[in-house]
Amino acid sequence: MLKGIAASPGIVIGRAFLLEKEEFYISKRTIDPADIKQEIIRFRKAVAETREEMDGIRQKALKQLGKRHVRLFDAYLLILQDPIIRNDVTKMVTEQKVNAEYALQTVFDKITKTFNIIDDGYLRDRGRDILDVVKRVLKRLLGREREELATLPSPVIVIAHNLTPADTIAMRKENVIGFATDIGGRTSHTAIMAQSLEIPAVVGLKNITKKVKLGDTIIIDGIEGIVIIDPDSETVENYERQKLKYSNVEEALKKLTDLPAVTADEHNVELHANIEVPEEIPSVHAHGATGIGLFRTEYIYLNRADLPSEEEQYQQYASVARKMMPYPVIIRTMDLGADKFVGEFGISPERNPFMGLRAIRLCFRYPYVFKTQLRAILRASVEGNLKIMYPMICCAKELRHANELLEEVKNELRKEEISFDENIEVGVMIETPSSALIADILAREADFLSIGTNDLIQYTLAVDRVNENVAHLYKPLHLSILRLIKRIIDAGHQVGKHVGMCGEMAADPSFTKILLGMGLNEFSMSPLSIPKIKKIVRSTSLTTARELANQVLATSKEEEVNKIIEKFEALP
Ligand code: PEP
Ligand code: MG
C-alpha cells in the first residue's frame, strides 16, 4: 500500500500499464510535400534545443566537477553535430515524406545495428550514448503528446513517473480508468484535468514506477490518496464495497442538483463550475452549477503542431455560451506556460517556469495570439452571457494594457460591423500576492475579481504546487492566506464588485464556512464537487459563518484555526 496525494476522487480496480519515462511509441506519418520544409525546421529546432540543454548541463558540470568530467558531454555535443544524424534524417524526411520522429528512429536503428555487429565494449557504450542523445531529441519532438496514451488497447490504470496536463488530456476515458504518478501535487493542472475527465488519480507517490510491473492488479483510491499493488481478495472485496458506498453518497448528493444554493438564513451563494474543455457542459448541468466561473482555455493549444484559429476558438466559446444560457460563463484568457508548456512559441524551456513567461505575460509577448483569442470571445459574446477574465495580473498597468488590446480588437470589430456585447464584463484573477495587496486598485478598474488560490498559495507560501516534496507545506489555512483572502473580498465589496474564488480551495468542504463568513459571493469548482459544497451552504447560516471567520481571522496561532473550525462544524 502506497500513500500519495489524492488528486481526483473515485475508486477503481484494474490492471497496470507502466508508462516508461523514456519509452516512446513512434508512429509513421506521411508529410504533405508543402509541409516538408516545416518538418525539417521542427527537427532542427529539436536538435538545437537539445544542444542548448546539453551545453547547459556541460557548463554546470564544468563548474562543479572540473574539466576531466565533461568529456562525456563533449561526446554528446559531437553526436548532435554528426552528419549521419543531421543529414540522413533530413534526407529521409525530404525523400520519403515521413515525419521527423520516424526518420530519426529509423536512422538510429541503422546505427545501432552497425554498433552491435562489432564486438567491442567501448563501442557498445558509445552506442548507448547515441541512444541517450537520440531519446532527448525524440522527447522534444514528441514533447506535447505521448501518442500511446491516446491509443491504449484496453482499460488500464496508467502508472507513470510524471504526466503533464497535455498527457492527461490525451487520455481516453474508456482506455484509462485511473492513474498514479511518482511526482505531482494536489493543485497541479494534471490533477485538475483528471477531475475534469472524472478519472480517479493519486499523485506524488514518489516511487510507484519502481514498484509496479506491467499487468499488476492495482487499486486506486483517489479519495484517500492510496494505491494498493496486487491486493488480496479480501482487500479487493473491501474496496468494491467502498466503491459502492462512494457512488451511493454521490447519488444521494445529486438529489440536491435542482435545489438553490442558499444558506439556512436565506442568503444566496453562487456555485459555479470550472471547465477545461467544452465536453464538460453536460456534467456542469448534471451537478447543478448555475454558471461557469472559470473556463480554462489553454487546452485547445496543446497536443497540436499549429495554433488554433480564431474560428475554431469562436466555435468553442459560442457553443459553451449557448449551452449555458442564461447562465454566465467566465472565459479566462489563455494561461499557457508554467506546467502547460508549448513549444510552438519557440521559447526554450524555462528554468523557473511558474515564475516565467506565463499567462498574460506570454500574451503580451505575442499580442497577435492574444488578440485572436479576444476576437473569438467577443464574437461569441452575442451568443450568450460571456465575461472575460485575465490571469496572472500582477499590477494595474498589466490590466490596463490588456484592456487596451481588448479595445483595439473591439474597434476592429466595429469597423468590420461585426457585432459583440458592448457591455461585456472584464474581471481579474487575483492569484499573486502583488495583486492581492493592490486588490482595491484593481477592483476599481475591473468589473469583478476571482481569487485563484492554487497560484495565490504557491506564490505566497513559496510552495511549488506541482512538487510532492513540499506538498505538506501547501496550506490554504495559513494565516497569511486567510488574511489575503479577506482583504481581497473586502476590497471588491468596498467598490461594489462581485468576488468569486475559482481555485481548488473553493471545492474543499472544510473551507466552505470560513469563505462564506468572509463574504465570498461565488464558489467555482470542478462540477463533481458542487453537490457536496451545496450541502454545506444549505446547512449553514451566514451569521454562524461570519462568527467563525471573525474568530479565525483574530487568532495569531496557526494551530488554533482547525480547532475553531471543528468547534463550528456542528453549528448550523
Ligand atoms: C488558480 O490559480 O487558482 C486558478 C484557478 O488558475 P489555475 O489553476 O489554472 O492556475
Ligand atoms: Mg492560476
Side-chain angles (χ1 to χ4, degrees):
M1 183 173 110
L2 300 176
K3 178 89 182 92
I5 300 164
S8 177
I11 293 170
V12 277
I13 303 171
R15 298 261 168 217
F17 177 87
L18 215 58
L19 197 68
E20 296 278 350
K21 203 162 89 182
E22 307 283 36
E23 292 300 320
F24 299 107
Y25 170 77
I26 311 288
S27 60
K28 184 179 178 180
R29 273 187 288 123
T30 308
I31 303 290
D32 196 282
D35 296 331
I36 284 178
K37 208 169 142 201
Q38 195 51 40
E39 190 64 7
I40 290 170
I41 292 174
R42 197 168 73 85
F43 171 64
R44 293 208 172 124
K45 201 170 124 211
V47 172
E49 283 171 3
T50 311
R51 202 167 49 220
E52 220 173 89
E53 179 193 338
M54 294 308 305
D55 203 37
I57 304 173
R58 184 187 176 279
Q59 298 292 351
K60 214 163 131 192
L62 187 65
K63 230 189 326 209
Q64 289 173 1
L65 306 169
K67 220 169 169 177
R68 241 161 24 98
H69 295 272
V70 298
R71 279 194 208 122
L72 172 71
F73 300 104
D74 290 337
Y76 273 31
L77 288 166
L78 279 175
I79 294 167
L80 281 168
Q81 283 161 16
D82 196 291
I84 298 186
I85 301 239
R86 296 185 70 88
N87 301 347
D88 287 16
V89 172
T90 10
K91 204 166 144 214
M92 193 169 165
V93 171
T94 317
E95 287 174 1
Q96 299 186 24
K97 301 182 187 53
V98 288
N99 52 318
E101 294 90 340
Y102 180 75
L104 178 59
Q105 179 76 49
T106 313
V107 169
F108 171 69
D109 285 347
K110 252 191 248 161
I111 303 173
T112 326
K113 267 189 206 130
T114 322
F115 274 73
N116 285 347
I117 295 168
I118 310 165
D119 183 18
D120 182 303
Y122 176 80
L123 281 180
R124 257 199 312 277
D125 284 349
R126 297 296 69 76
R128 270 198 284 275
D129 292 347
I130 300 175
L131 170 67
D132 191 33
V133 173
V134 166
K135 272 185 173 176
R136 284 172 189 270
V137 180
L138 279 176
K139 208 168 157 181
R140 291 194 179 270
L141 284 170
L142 289 169
R144 292 178 311 271
E145 181 176 9
R146 296 199 200 155
E147 298 183 27
E148 63 268 53
L149 278 176
T151 53
L152 285 174
S154 59
V156 288
I157 289 176
V158 169
I159 308 291
H161 177 67
N162 182 28
L163 288 170
T164 64
D167 289 333
T168 315
I169 199 177
M171 290 176 178
R172 300 285 170 269
K173 202 177 164 188
E174 318 82 77
N175 297 341
V176 180
I177 55 171
F179 71 78
T181 58
D182 288 338
I183 68 170
R186 166 74 191 82
T187 63
S188 65
H189 285 106
T190 299
I192 292 169
M193 194 66 213
Q195 290 176 40
S196 296
L197 299 172
E198 301 185 16
I199 298 178
V202 180
V203 299
L205 288 147
K206 299 206 165 90
N207 56 3
I208 188 163
T209 45
K210 300 222 166 61
K211 306 211 160 160
V212 171
K213 294 185 303 304
L214 179 77
D216 277 352
T217 300
I218 301 282
I219 300 176
I220 300 269
D221 177 350
I223 306 155
E224 297 297 328
I226 286 171
V227 176
I228 297 171
I229 306 165
D230 262 339
D232 55 26
S233 54
E234 204 181 312
T235 313
V236 172
E237 272 168 37
N238 178 16
Y239 269 92
E240 291 286 8
R241 275 196 300 276
Q242 290 203 38
K243 198 172 156 184
L244 194 67
K245 204 163 116 193
Y246 175 71
S247 50
N248 288 344
V249 171
E250 291 297 290
E251 276 311 304
L253 280 171
K254 272 203 179 153
K255 297 211 173 82
L256 299 173
T257 304
D258 298 324
L259 297 177
V262 283
T263 59
D265 48 356
E266 305 278 316
H267 288 274
N268 279 318
V269 181
E270 281 157 44
L271 297 188
H272 290 179
N274 291 352
I275 62 163
E276 338 292 322
V277 285
E279 289 75 20
E280 285 181 82
I281 300 294
S283 173
V284 170
H285 289 303
H287 289 91
T290 52
I292 288 182
L294 170 66
F295 179 3
R296 288 186 172 94
T297 56
E298 304 73 72
Y299 290 94
I300 199 171
Y301 295 84
L302 301 180
N303 297 333
R304 60 192 292 162
D306 55 351
L307 287 167
S309 66
E310 174 190 320
E311 187 58 26
E312 194 181 341
Q313 295 179 73
Y314 162 78
Q315 293 296 348
Q316 262 206 4
Y317 307 151
S319 138
V320 171
R322 279 193 290 265
K323 289 180 185 152
M324 285 305 296
M325 267 296 267
Y327 296 131
V329 175
I330 299 178
I331 302 197
R332 192 248 321 256
T333 57
M334 65 94 149
D335 178 15
L336 286 170
D339 56 347
K340 284 173 285 195
F341 178 71
V342 246
E344 287 325 303
F345 293 103
I347 303 160
S348 315
E350 296 173 292
R351 261 185 290 249
N352 211 343
F354 273 101
M355 300 215 187
L357 205 55
R358 177 187 176 188
I360 201 80
R361 301 168 181 184
L362 191 70
C363 289
F364 291 162
R365 170 78 75 94
Y366 300 99
Y368 168 74
V369 178
F370 186 44
K371 284 171 80 174
T372 302
Q373 182 178 26
L374 292 175
R375 237 181 106 97
I377 302 173
L378 285 173
R379 279 178 54 206
S381 64
V382 291
E383 300 289 331
N385 184 1
L386 292 190
K387 300 175 192 216
I388 296 173
M389 178 162 77
Y390 304 131
M392 284 290 288
I393 293 287
C394 285
C395 57
K397 211 167 145 193
E398 285 173 340
L399 167 61
R400 285 172 208 145
H401 186 49
N403 276 337
E404 275 160 23
L405 294 170
L406 179 67
E407 207 46 49
E408 281 176 25
V409 177
K410 283 183 177 175
N411 281 333
E412 283 165 23
L413 289 175
R414 285 183 192 116
K415 253 189 228 142
E416 294 167 46
E417 296 184 2
I418 297 174
S419 53
F420 61 91
D421 176 4
E422 290 278 353
N423 299 316
I424 191 163
E425 287 189 12
V426 179
V428 171
M429 280 189 87
I430 306 290
E431 46 185 353
T432 59
S434 55
S435 60
L437 293 168
I438 57 160
D440 54 332
I441 302 170
L442 296 170
R444 280 199 294 273
E445 300 189 29
D447 294 310
F448 61 91
L449 304 179
S450 184
I451 310 172
T453 49
N454 303 340
D455 282 314
L456 183 64
I457 297 170
Q458 96 161 330
Y459 294 127
T460 306
L461 302 182
V463 175
D464 182 346
R465 62 194 265 194
V466 302
N467 184 343
E468 71 287 355
N469 293 318
V470 288
H472 62 291
L473 300 173
Y474 191 94
K475 292 183 182 153
L477 292 179
H478 191 285
L479 298 180
S480 62
I481 303 299
L482 296 172
R483 287 183 185 189
L484 283 179
I485 293 173
K486 177 70 174 140
R487 195 179 169 124
I488 299 162
I489 296 173
D490 287 350
H493 289 177
Q494 248 147 38
V495 286
K497 305 286 166 71
H498 178 100
V499 183
M501 178 179 285
C502 56
E504 293 299 295
M505 194 173 173
D508 191 323
S510 32
F511 309 137
T512 313
K513 274 191 187 179
I514 295 190
L515 297 172
L516 270 176
M518 287 190 190
L520 192 70
N521 304 110
E522 174 207 321
F523 293 64
S524 193
M525 66 204 84
S526 146
L528 291 182
S529 299
I530 291 176
K532 64 176 188 251
I533 300 297
K534 192 188 272 184
K535 191 169 174 215
I536 298 190
V537 168
R538 290 178 57 86
S539 62
T540 306
S541 76
L542 197 59
T543 323
T544 314
R546 281 193 184 132
E547 181 52 30
L548 164 63
N550 287 343
Q551 287 194 22
V552 162
L553 287 164
T555 185
S556 53
K557 291 190 189 129
E558 192 96 25
E559 59 280 11
E560 288 276 303
V561 176
N562 273 319
K563 285 189 199 141
I564 303 172
I565 292 177
E566 274 167 33
K567 195 172 78 186
F568 278 83
E569 209 162 66
L571 299 180

